[in-house]
Short mmCIF file of all heavy atoms in Angstrom, two decimals:
data_model
loop_
_atom_site.label_atom_id
_atom_site.label_comp_id
_atom_site.label_asym_id
_atom_site.label_seq_id
_atom_site.Cartn_x
_atom_site.Cartn_y
_atom_site.Cartn_z
N HIS A 1 0.87 -1.18 0.05
CA HIS A 1 0.02 0.00 -0.11
C HIS A 1 0.86 1.34 0.02
O HIS A 1 0.56 2.19 -0.69
CB HIS A 1 -0.94 -0.02 1.22
CG HIS A 1 -1.89 1.14 1.27
ND1 HIS A 1 -2.92 1.26 0.36
CD2 HIS A 1 -2.00 2.24 2.06
CE1 HIS A 1 -3.56 2.28 0.65
NE2 HIS A 1 -3.10 2.99 1.63
N PHE A 2 1.90 1.32 0.76
CA PHE A 2 2.82 2.37 0.96
C PHE A 2 3.57 2.53 -0.43
O PHE A 2 3.91 3.65 -0.94
CB PHE A 2 3.80 2.30 2.06
CG PHE A 2 4.43 3.60 2.28
CD1 PHE A 2 3.82 4.57 3.14
CD2 PHE A 2 5.74 3.95 1.85
CE1 PHE A 2 4.43 5.74 3.57
CE2 PHE A 2 6.33 5.14 2.20
CZ PHE A 2 5.63 6.02 3.03
N VAL A 3 3.93 1.43 -1.04
CA VAL A 3 4.76 1.49 -2.34
C VAL A 3 3.83 2.18 -3.32
O VAL A 3 4.22 2.91 -4.20
CB VAL A 3 5.10 0.09 -2.76
CG1 VAL A 3 5.58 0.06 -4.25
CG2 VAL A 3 6.18 -0.48 -1.87
N ALA A 4 2.47 1.84 -3.25
CA ALA A 4 1.48 2.46 -4.28
C ALA A 4 1.55 4.04 -4.12
O ALA A 4 1.41 4.74 -5.03
CB ALA A 4 0.08 1.84 -4.01
N LEU A 5 1.62 4.41 -2.76
CA LEU A 5 1.77 5.79 -2.36
C LEU A 5 2.97 6.47 -3.10
O LEU A 5 2.91 7.54 -3.65
CB LEU A 5 1.62 6.15 -1.06
CG LEU A 5 1.86 7.50 -0.59
CD1 LEU A 5 0.67 8.39 -1.01
CD2 LEU A 5 1.98 7.56 1.01
N ILE A 6 4.07 5.83 -3.00
CA ILE A 6 5.25 6.26 -3.61
C ILE A 6 5.17 6.51 -5.09
O ILE A 6 5.62 7.42 -5.63
CB ILE A 6 6.49 5.30 -3.24
CG1 ILE A 6 6.81 5.21 -1.66
CG2 ILE A 6 7.71 5.58 -4.04
CD1 ILE A 6 7.78 4.24 -1.32
N PHE A 7 4.64 5.46 -5.70
CA PHE A 7 4.39 5.55 -7.13
C PHE A 7 3.50 6.69 -7.52
O PHE A 7 3.68 7.32 -8.54
CB PHE A 7 3.95 4.24 -7.74
CG PHE A 7 5.05 3.18 -7.78
CD1 PHE A 7 4.71 1.85 -7.82
CD2 PHE A 7 6.46 3.47 -7.75
CE1 PHE A 7 5.70 0.85 -7.85
CE2 PHE A 7 7.40 2.49 -7.77
CZ PHE A 7 7.06 1.23 -7.84
N THR A 8 2.53 6.94 -6.73
CA THR A 8 1.56 7.94 -6.96
C THR A 8 2.21 9.32 -6.89
O THR A 8 1.98 10.14 -7.67
CB THR A 8 0.35 7.92 -5.97
OG1 THR A 8 -0.24 6.58 -6.12
CG2 THR A 8 -0.67 9.04 -6.24
N VAL A 9 2.94 9.48 -5.94
CA VAL A 9 3.71 10.83 -5.63
C VAL A 9 4.69 10.97 -6.79
O VAL A 9 4.75 12.11 -7.33
CB VAL A 9 4.47 10.77 -4.34
CG1 VAL A 9 5.48 12.08 -4.15
CG2 VAL A 9 3.50 10.75 -3.08
N TYR A 10 5.39 9.95 -7.16
CA TYR A 10 6.31 10.07 -8.35
C TYR A 10 5.57 10.39 -9.55
O TYR A 10 6.10 11.28 -10.36
CB TYR A 10 6.93 8.65 -8.46
CG TYR A 10 8.02 8.63 -9.66
CD1 TYR A 10 9.30 8.96 -9.42
CD2 TYR A 10 7.51 8.21 -10.95
CE1 TYR A 10 10.21 8.85 -10.55
CE2 TYR A 10 8.48 8.20 -11.96
CZ TYR A 10 9.76 8.50 -11.78
OH TYR A 10 10.65 8.45 -12.79
N GLY A 11 4.47 9.89 -9.82
CA GLY A 11 3.70 10.16 -11.02
C GLY A 11 3.13 11.63 -11.06
O GLY A 11 3.12 12.22 -12.15
N LEU A 12 2.70 12.15 -9.83
CA LEU A 12 2.23 13.52 -9.75
C LEU A 12 3.43 14.53 -10.11
O LEU A 12 3.18 15.45 -10.69
CB LEU A 12 1.60 13.67 -8.39
CG LEU A 12 0.37 12.98 -8.12
CD1 LEU A 12 -0.09 13.25 -6.66
CD2 LEU A 12 -0.72 13.65 -9.07
N ALA A 13 4.62 14.15 -9.48
CA ALA A 13 5.70 14.97 -9.70
C ALA A 13 6.09 14.92 -11.22
O ALA A 13 6.48 16.09 -11.79
CB ALA A 13 6.86 14.42 -8.91
N ALA A 14 6.01 13.82 -11.82
CA ALA A 14 6.33 13.73 -13.32
C ALA A 14 5.35 14.54 -14.13
O ALA A 14 5.75 15.24 -15.04
CB ALA A 14 6.29 12.32 -13.78
N ALA A 15 4.12 14.59 -13.71
CA ALA A 15 3.07 15.29 -14.43
C ALA A 15 3.35 16.85 -14.38
O ALA A 15 3.14 17.56 -15.34
CB ALA A 15 1.55 14.88 -13.96
N VAL A 16 3.55 17.21 -13.12
CA VAL A 16 3.88 18.75 -12.86
C VAL A 16 5.12 19.08 -13.63
O VAL A 16 5.12 20.14 -14.33
CB VAL A 16 4.07 18.99 -11.34
CG1 VAL A 16 4.48 20.39 -11.20
CG2 VAL A 16 2.75 18.71 -10.64
N SER A 17 6.07 18.26 -13.67
CA SER A 17 7.35 18.49 -14.39
C SER A 17 7.18 18.54 -15.91
O SER A 17 7.77 19.44 -16.54
CB SER A 17 8.45 17.54 -14.04
OG SER A 17 9.55 17.77 -14.72
N ALA A 18 6.30 17.66 -16.33
CA ALA A 18 5.96 17.56 -17.79
C ALA A 18 5.33 18.81 -18.20
O ALA A 18 5.68 19.45 -19.35
CB ALA A 18 5.11 16.37 -18.05
N TRP A 19 4.35 19.36 -17.32
CA TRP A 19 3.72 20.66 -17.73
C TRP A 19 4.79 21.74 -17.79
O TRP A 19 4.78 22.64 -18.60
CB TRP A 19 2.61 20.94 -16.80
CG TRP A 19 2.26 22.43 -16.69
CD1 TRP A 19 2.57 23.25 -15.64
CD2 TRP A 19 1.52 23.18 -17.73
NE1 TRP A 19 2.16 24.52 -16.03
CE2 TRP A 19 1.53 24.50 -17.29
CE3 TRP A 19 1.10 22.84 -18.90
CZ2 TRP A 19 0.92 25.50 -17.99
CZ3 TRP A 19 0.50 23.95 -19.63
CH2 TRP A 19 0.36 25.16 -19.15
N GLY A 20 5.59 21.83 -16.68
CA GLY A 20 6.47 23.02 -16.57
C GLY A 20 7.65 22.96 -17.60
O GLY A 20 8.27 24.08 -17.80
N SER A 21 7.98 21.84 -18.21
CA SER A 21 9.15 21.80 -19.08
C SER A 21 9.11 22.82 -20.22
O SER A 21 10.03 23.42 -20.51
CB SER A 21 9.24 20.44 -19.59
OG SER A 21 8.14 20.02 -20.33
N GLY A 22 7.96 22.87 -20.86
CA GLY A 22 7.93 23.78 -22.07
C GLY A 22 7.92 25.28 -21.66
O GLY A 22 8.71 25.89 -22.31
N VAL A 23 7.17 25.63 -20.67
CA VAL A 23 7.19 27.07 -20.31
C VAL A 23 8.62 27.44 -19.67
O VAL A 23 9.07 28.66 -19.79
CB VAL A 23 6.08 27.43 -19.25
CG1 VAL A 23 4.70 27.25 -19.90
CG2 VAL A 23 6.12 26.55 -18.07
N LEU A 24 9.21 26.59 -18.94
CA LEU A 24 10.56 26.82 -18.55
C LEU A 24 11.73 26.99 -19.62
O LEU A 24 12.50 27.79 -19.43
CB LEU A 24 10.98 25.72 -17.46
CG LEU A 24 10.23 25.66 -16.12
CD1 LEU A 24 10.65 24.33 -15.36
CD2 LEU A 24 10.44 27.01 -15.42
N CYS A 25 11.41 26.20 -20.66
CA CYS A 25 12.27 26.37 -21.81
C CYS A 25 12.07 27.76 -22.41
O CYS A 25 13.09 28.43 -22.88
CB CYS A 25 11.96 25.25 -22.97
SG CYS A 25 12.62 23.63 -22.57
N ASP A 26 10.93 28.24 -22.45
CA ASP A 26 10.56 29.58 -23.00
C ASP A 26 11.28 30.66 -22.16
O ASP A 26 11.78 31.71 -22.68
CB ASP A 26 9.11 29.88 -22.97
CG ASP A 26 8.46 29.32 -24.22
OD1 ASP A 26 9.12 29.07 -25.21
OD2 ASP A 26 7.17 29.36 -24.32
N ARG A 27 11.31 30.40 -20.80
CA ARG A 27 11.87 31.45 -19.86
C ARG A 27 13.30 31.35 -19.72
O ARG A 27 14.01 32.36 -19.76
CB ARG A 27 11.11 31.13 -18.52
CG ARG A 27 11.67 32.12 -17.36
CD ARG A 27 11.29 33.62 -17.74
NE ARG A 27 11.82 34.60 -16.83
CZ ARG A 27 13.02 35.14 -16.93
NH1 ARG A 27 13.79 34.94 -17.96
NH2 ARG A 27 13.41 36.11 -15.99
N PHE A 28 14.00 30.15 -19.60
CA PHE A 28 15.22 29.94 -19.20
C PHE A 28 16.16 29.37 -20.25
O PHE A 28 17.38 29.37 -20.14
CB PHE A 28 15.36 29.17 -18.00
CG PHE A 28 14.73 29.82 -16.77
CD1 PHE A 28 13.57 29.16 -16.20
CD2 PHE A 28 15.26 30.92 -16.06
CE1 PHE A 28 12.96 29.67 -15.15
CE2 PHE A 28 14.66 31.42 -14.99
CZ PHE A 28 13.42 30.84 -14.60
N GLY A 29 15.46 28.85 -21.36
CA GLY A 29 16.34 28.25 -22.37
C GLY A 29 16.39 26.65 -22.18
O GLY A 29 16.27 26.21 -21.05
N CYS A 30 16.45 25.88 -23.33
CA CYS A 30 16.30 24.55 -23.19
C CYS A 30 17.64 23.86 -22.51
O CYS A 30 17.42 22.94 -21.72
CB CYS A 30 16.26 23.92 -24.56
SG CYS A 30 14.68 24.40 -25.45
N ARG A 31 18.75 24.43 -22.61
CA ARG A 31 19.92 23.94 -22.12
C ARG A 31 19.75 23.82 -20.50
O ARG A 31 20.12 22.86 -19.83
CB ARG A 31 21.14 24.65 -22.45
CG ARG A 31 22.52 24.13 -21.94
CD ARG A 31 23.61 24.91 -22.53
NE ARG A 31 24.92 24.41 -22.17
CZ ARG A 31 25.56 24.54 -21.03
NH1 ARG A 31 25.08 25.56 -20.19
NH2 ARG A 31 26.66 24.04 -20.74
N LYS A 32 19.35 24.91 -19.96
CA LYS A 32 19.25 24.98 -18.49
C LYS A 32 18.13 24.07 -17.92
O LYS A 32 18.33 23.45 -16.89
CB LYS A 32 18.93 26.49 -17.97
CG LYS A 32 20.04 27.35 -18.25
CD LYS A 32 19.70 28.82 -17.70
CE LYS A 32 20.95 29.76 -17.99
NZ LYS A 32 20.61 31.12 -17.68
N VAL A 33 17.07 23.97 -18.73
CA VAL A 33 16.00 22.86 -18.30
C VAL A 33 16.56 21.55 -18.39
O VAL A 33 16.36 20.71 -17.44
CB VAL A 33 14.80 23.10 -19.32
CG1 VAL A 33 13.79 22.01 -18.90
CG2 VAL A 33 14.11 24.47 -19.03
N ILE A 34 17.39 21.12 -19.31
CA ILE A 34 17.91 19.88 -19.45
C ILE A 34 18.94 19.58 -18.27
O ILE A 34 18.90 18.58 -17.67
CB ILE A 34 18.62 19.67 -20.77
CG1 ILE A 34 17.65 19.63 -21.96
CG2 ILE A 34 19.43 18.38 -20.87
CD1 ILE A 34 18.21 19.76 -23.32
N ILE A 35 19.70 20.53 -18.00
CA ILE A 35 20.62 20.42 -16.83
C ILE A 35 19.82 20.33 -15.54
O ILE A 35 20.18 19.45 -14.79
CB ILE A 35 21.56 21.59 -16.73
CG1 ILE A 35 22.58 21.81 -17.95
CG2 ILE A 35 22.30 21.66 -15.45
CD1 ILE A 35 23.34 22.98 -17.98
N SER A 36 18.74 21.00 -15.39
CA SER A 36 17.95 20.78 -14.20
C SER A 36 17.29 19.46 -14.11
O SER A 36 17.30 18.90 -13.02
CB SER A 36 16.81 21.80 -14.22
OG SER A 36 17.22 23.20 -14.24
N GLY A 37 16.97 18.98 -15.26
CA GLY A 37 16.42 17.51 -15.27
C GLY A 37 17.46 16.54 -14.82
O GLY A 37 17.15 15.59 -14.08
N ILE A 38 18.69 16.69 -15.32
CA ILE A 38 19.84 15.85 -14.91
C ILE A 38 19.98 15.85 -13.34
O ILE A 38 20.12 14.90 -12.63
CB ILE A 38 21.11 16.18 -15.67
CG1 ILE A 38 20.97 15.96 -17.09
CG2 ILE A 38 22.25 15.36 -15.06
CD1 ILE A 38 21.97 16.47 -17.96
N LEU A 39 20.11 17.11 -12.80
CA LEU A 39 20.40 17.30 -11.38
C LEU A 39 19.24 16.81 -10.58
O LEU A 39 19.45 16.13 -9.50
CB LEU A 39 20.62 18.80 -11.13
CG LEU A 39 21.87 19.46 -11.77
CD1 LEU A 39 21.88 20.90 -11.42
CD2 LEU A 39 23.05 18.68 -11.16
N LEU A 40 17.94 16.97 -11.02
CA LEU A 40 16.78 16.51 -10.22
C LEU A 40 16.64 15.00 -10.24
O LEU A 40 15.86 14.43 -9.57
CB LEU A 40 15.55 17.26 -10.70
CG LEU A 40 15.37 18.65 -10.11
CD1 LEU A 40 14.25 19.38 -10.80
CD2 LEU A 40 15.20 18.73 -8.54
N TRP A 41 17.39 14.36 -11.19
CA TRP A 41 17.48 12.89 -11.20
C TRP A 41 18.52 12.45 -10.35
O TRP A 41 18.43 11.50 -9.51
CB TRP A 41 17.64 12.41 -12.59
CG TRP A 41 17.12 10.95 -12.76
CD1 TRP A 41 15.91 10.58 -13.18
CD2 TRP A 41 17.84 9.74 -12.45
NE1 TRP A 41 15.80 9.15 -13.19
CE2 TRP A 41 17.01 8.60 -12.74
CE3 TRP A 41 19.03 9.47 -11.88
CZ2 TRP A 41 17.49 7.26 -12.57
CZ3 TRP A 41 19.52 8.21 -11.74
CH2 TRP A 41 18.74 7.13 -11.99
N VAL A 42 19.69 12.99 -10.59
CA VAL A 42 20.97 12.40 -9.93
C VAL A 42 21.07 12.56 -8.48
O VAL A 42 21.31 11.84 -7.72
CB VAL A 42 22.26 13.07 -10.68
CG1 VAL A 42 23.54 12.77 -9.89
CG2 VAL A 42 22.30 12.52 -12.07
#
């Protein structure tokens, strides 16, 4: 049950990040967004 909660939180974070990726590219540039993605994974 708790593992299901972990996957749910992960999915919600991914959905929010998917939405923000495009507008953040408009604001900060694609390179900085890609670097942020690497750091937020690593």
Side-chain angles (χ1 to χ4, degrees):
H1 186 66
F2 195 83
V3 170
L5 174 63
I6 291 173
F7 287 158
T8 301
V9 172
Y10 179 90
L12 290 173
V16 172
S17 182
W19 158 254
S21 58
V23 293
L24 290 174
C25 283
D26 276 347
R27 178 65 183 90
F28 300 106
C30 295
R31 184 174 184 272
K32 291 180 179 177
V33 171
I34 292 170
I35 292 174
S36 298
I38 297 170
L39 294 177
L40 281 172
W41 199 101
V42 169

